[in-house]
Amino acid sequence: MLVELHGIADLSKIGAIERDASDQGNARSDRALSPILLEMERWLSATGMSASRFGRLAANDPRLVYDLRNGRDPSSRIVARLRAFMEAEASENL
């Protein structure tokens, strides 16, 4: 099953999007995607869960994923909550 993420049909295209952004002077051009954002994008793709539902269930913030995609820097506490949520969901579905 192929799931589109924020207009991206394939995670292998994320690097190309980063390079395009750097050519256009985008705010994220000076750094790569954060590890937690990559983990979330892969998880969302694998589960088919919407970004707003993920944010609401994992951190009580439906805009969290959208904000991270736009450069928000999450605290270590939020990163720990997101990883714990993904791990708990994965263990429930085994």
Side-chain angles (χ1 to χ4, degrees):
M1 176 175 86
L2 180 64
V3 178
E4 282 200 19
L5 303 172
H6 195 60
I8 303 169
D10 176 334
L11 287 177
S12 65
K13 296 179 182 176
I14 290 176
I17 291 169
E18 288 180 49
R19 286 188 295 279
D20 289 345
S22 66
D23 294 339
Q24 297 171 7
N26 189 312
R28 290 192 63 82
S29 66
D30 59 339
R31 61 183 177 174
L33 292 177
S34 69
I36 189 63
L37 183 55
L38 286 173
E39 289 174 43
M40 288 185 332
E41 295 290 8
R42 288 183 187 121
W43 194 87
L44 290 171
S45 177
T47 63
M49 184 180 286
S50 71
S52 59
R53 180 174 169 83
F54 175 84
R56 186 178 300 111
L57 293 174
N60 200 31
D61 181 357
R63 295 228 14 106
L64 177 68
V65 176
Y66 302 107
D67 291 345
L68 293 172
R69 286 173 178 164
N70 287 318
R72 177 176 164 186
D73 192 21
S75 68
S76 58
R77 191 178 106 220
I78 291 292
V79 170
R81 287 178 68 180
L82 298 176
R83 287 188 173 130
F85 174 79
M86 290 185 284
E87 289 173 12
E89 287 291 308
S91 66
E92 283 182 15
N93 294 322
L94 288 178

